[in-house]
Amino acid sequence: MQDQAPTEDLARRAAAGDSGALDRLLTEIRPEVVRRCARFLPCREDAEEAAQDVLLQVARHITGFQGRSRFGTWLYTVVANCCRQKYRELKRRAAEQPAAIEPAHAVDPRTTSVIAGSRVDLLEALDRLEREHPHLVAPLVYRDICQLDYAEAAERAGIPLGTLKSRLHEARKQVRPWLAAS
């Protein structure tokens, strides 16, 4: 998404029902979507699966993009939601797997998203934050993970800028000890 004007134009045309624009849009955003998903899910295969989910969601729901905010802002929300869903799915699958794994088939924890480093710790913290303080999740995701500027994050969360900053401060305060304990 280097040049935003053509992407924004493609998104508007796709939202209006132009299937050719949708195809071009999906092709154009795919590399960025994979990169964004990799921020959440350290295992490349998991990130690529999540990216496919994102592209599918964009194709299915592009008519919901109304152009009130930048397409990239709308897209980052889809990325964050799909990655969190993929993480929950991986976590659920890992919990359902038999505990005994033969040593020859042991999984390297550095290549498995469910048990890999700090990004997964962050996903765990987001899940906990969502359970305990759901109103704090969106500000943290939009500002710290999607790296939107404050005004865009507030717009996307649908709250005033001051409220976003206050909730973001509280979210960081809640999450910090959980991440330090990991």
Side-chain angles (χ1 to χ4, degrees):
M1 292 193 306
Q2 271 56 350
D3 189 1
Q4 290 188 344
T7 302
E8 294 293 325
D9 181 54
L10 286 173
R12 280 187 190 76
R13 290 181 18 225
D18 182 337
S19 60
L22 176 60
D23 290 343
R24 284 188 48 215
L25 177 68
L26 294 174
T27 300
E28 198 168 298
I29 66 172
R30 188 182 191 295
E32 178 68 16
V33 167
V34 171
R35 276 191 297 280
R36 293 268 174 195
C37 289
R39 286 180 138 170
F40 285 90
L41 300 163
C43 179
R44 180 153 182 85
E45 291 81 14
D46 296 339
E48 287 179 358
E49 278 184 39
Q52 285 302 108
D53 293 343
V54 169
L55 296 174
L56 183 61
Q57 290 300 314
V58 168
R60 285 183 178 163
H61 301 289
I62 190 67
T63 56
F65 173 64
Q66 299 171 348
R68 288 190 305 240
S69 62
R70 288 190 352 218
F71 172 71
T73 304
W74 184 83
L75 179 62
Y76 297 156
T77 305
V78 177
V79 168
N81 290 337
C82 286
C83 287
R84 290 172 65 207
Q85 184 61 37
K86 174 56 74 181
Y87 169 72
R88 288 184 190 116
E89 176 188 317
L90 292 166
K91 189 174 166 185
R92 192 171 39 253
R93 250 192 272 154
E96 293 169 357
Q97 303 248 330
I101 298 177
E102 294 180 33
H105 297 92
V107 176
D108 181 350
R110 293 167 299 177
T111 62
T112 305
S113 288
V114 175
I115 52 178
S118 64
R119 284 176 265 187
V120 172
D121 296 337
L122 177 60
L123 289 168
E124 280 290 337
L126 284 173
D127 268 357
R128 183 172 174 185
L129 188 65
E130 191 165 38
R131 286 191 307 274
E132 296 179 16
H133 306 283
H135 65 288
L136 300 179
V137 174
L140 188 68
V141 167
Y142 293 138
R143 178 68 188 123
D144 289 359
I145 297 173
C146 294
Q147 298 179 331
L148 300 179
D149 64 37
Y150 285 100
E152 273 187 299
E155 178 185 331
R156 193 70 197 139
I159 56 177
L161 182 60
T163 304
L164 176 103
K165 288 180 178 181
S166 170
R167 289 182 182 176
L168 181 59
H169 173 74
E170 185 60 29
R172 289 171 176 163
K173 192 167 86 175
Q174 291 291 325
V175 168
R176 196 172 290 123
W178 300 338
L179 293 176
S182 299

